[in-house]
């Protein structure tokens, strides 16, 4: 399997994450990618290639223009305001404040576009996010060109980013870029299967009112876990998209037997939908050793579920999302990909 990867991910190197009332070193860190590359090399998964630059077209196909303008300028505006720390929101258009639209001041604008407050923006974030979208678009084209599968080693991740919201470490929704690109290239029906521990709220928001993209997510129940405000089993799609969103919230402590049962239900939905292609939002924070998650998958389970996904027989793009047990992230990711290839 070919992997697409950009060294520009290193430009996203924030020093801070707001966690439990402290500023800590971010869980979503550059070394994650180095461990994945080492495991790819060690197992001989296949070549690792740089992306083709696509400009902003693929991101514009799913994100609002004002949001992309905000991402392009937020760091400059933050530093111009005289702030010395990394950019974090402190105020939001919350439930009792009905303003529609970003205010002028950067303090207000950042709260307008943030869906959560843990994710610090630093210089280089925008360039890295654009490179991750290029990675997704380039790997999509490999699958559209007839490959059985490809791996988009995106960083920063994307599945929490909505049309005009960033957060949960995500800025451009790389999986949504891929799914939309498949549609635009003529795939009539695309399924996005999100196996990251966290609900893919951004991907759901982008596609919830559409019948051409089926979104499915297995995740920690939002009653207990981030992103807290989306991901319930009762969310099944909106308007023309009714019936094309499927959530499988699972309780804290879920192990592989229960997780795999939910996966089989989701895979049956993908097959019934008649998808022409599959995008997998691949987060390995379901691992038992993950520092911010609560599922209990073992490394061997990742290979098992990679094989189960392969049995759909669909052209498949894997898009990297989360996974914060850094020492094991490479083995867990590559186990999914080799499990898929060996099926
Ligand atoms: C990004 B991705 C846990 C707080 C969680 C944010 C998690 C973002 C996950 N106490 N904070 O889906 O892996
Ligand atoms: Zn996650």
């Amino acid at each position: 399997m070919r992997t697409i990867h950009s060294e520009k991910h290193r430009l996203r190197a924030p020093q801070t994450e707001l966690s439990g009332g402290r500023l800590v070193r971010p869980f979503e860190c550059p070394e994650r990618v180095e461990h994945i590359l080492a495991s790819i090399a060690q197992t001989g998964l296949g070549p690792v290639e740089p992306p083709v630059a696509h400009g902003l077209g693929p991101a514009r196909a799913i994100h609002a223009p004002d949001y992309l303008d905000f991402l392009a300028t937020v760091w400059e505006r933050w530093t111009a305001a005289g702030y010395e720390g990394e950019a974090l929101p402190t105020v939001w258009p919350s439930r009792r404040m009905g303003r529609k639209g970003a205010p002028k001041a950067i303090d207000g604008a950042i709260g307008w576009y943030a869906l959560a407050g843990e994710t610090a923006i630093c210089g280089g974030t925008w360039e890295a996010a654009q490179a991750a979208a290029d990675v997704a678009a380039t790997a999509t084209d490999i699958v559209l060109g007839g490959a059985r599968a490809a791996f988009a080693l995106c960083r920063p991740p994307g599945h929490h980013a909505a049309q005009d919201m960033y957060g949960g470490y995500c800025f451009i929704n790389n999986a949504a870029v891929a799914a939309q690109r498949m549609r635009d290239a003529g795939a009539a029906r695309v399924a996005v299967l999100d196996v990251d521990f966290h609900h893919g709220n951004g991907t759901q928001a982008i596609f919830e009112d559409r019948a051409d993209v089926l979104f499915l997510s297995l995740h920690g129940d939002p009653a207990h876990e981030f992103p807290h405000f989306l991901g319930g089993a009762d969310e099944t799609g909106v308007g023309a998209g009714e019936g094309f969103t499927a959530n499988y919230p699972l309780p804290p402590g879920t192990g592989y037997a229960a997780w795999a049962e939910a996966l089989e239900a989701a895979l049956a939905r993908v097959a019934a939908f008649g998808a022409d292609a599959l995008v997998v939002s691949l987060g390995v924070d379901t691992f038992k050793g993950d520092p911010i998650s609560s599922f209990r998958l073992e490394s061997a389970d990742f290979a098992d579920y990679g094989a189960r996904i392969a049995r759909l027989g669909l052209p498949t793009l894997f898009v990297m999302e989360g996974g914060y047990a850094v020492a094991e992230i490479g083995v867990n990711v590559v186990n999914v990909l080799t499990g898929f290839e060996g099926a």
Side-chain angles (χ1 to χ4, degrees), residues 159-160 196-198 285 322 324:
H159 73 149
H160 296 302
D196 185 280
F197 172 78
H198 303 94
D285 41 8
Y324 309 100

Side-chain angles (χ1 to χ4, degrees), residues 111-133:
W112 176 258
Y113 292 109
L115 67 96
E118 77 293 300
T119 300
I121 294 175
C122 56
T125 296
W126 175 232
E127 210 177 330
Q130 289 178 88

Side-chain angles (χ1 to χ4, degrees), residues 89-139:
T90 53
V91 63
W92 278 268
S94 58
R95 285 178 294 112
R96 303 292 176 194
M97 294 198 272
R99 186 191 163 95
K100 299 275 176 286
K104 267 206 174 70
I106 187 60
D107 306 70
I110 194 169
W112 176 258
Y113 292 109
L115 67 96
E118 77 293 300
T119 300
I121 294 175
C122 56
T125 296
W126 175 232
E127 210 177 330
Q130 289 178 88
D134 280 336
V135 166
T138 303

Side-chain angles (χ1 to χ4, degrees), residues 115 160 198-201 219-220 222 225-231:
L115 67 96
H160 296 302
H198 303 94
H199 176 248
N201 62 282
H219 50 267
E225 305 289 356
F226 184 91
H228 299 292
F229 301 107
L230 208 69

Side-chain angles (χ1 to χ4, degrees), residues 34-117:
E34 307 312 321
H35 284 268
I36 295 166
L37 288 171
S39 293
I40 288 171
Q42 204 178 340
T43 56
L45 178 76
V48 177
E49 302 160 14
V52 173
H54 285 81
L56 277 179
R60 282 196 211 283
I62 51 159
H63 290 291
D66 63 304
Y67 173 65
L68 296 174
D69 289 347
F70 164 79
L71 289 180
T73 58
V74 52
W75 181 244
E76 191 189 313
R77 292 170 70 189
W78 183 261
T79 53
Y83 298 138
E84 288 171 9
E86 296 182 327
L88 293 170
T90 53
V91 63
W92 278 268
S94 58
R95 285 178 294 112
R96 303 292 176 194
M97 294 198 272
R99 186 191 163 95
K100 299 275 176 286
K104 267 206 174 70
I106 187 60
D107 306 70
I110 194 169
W112 176 258
Y113 292 109
L115 67 96

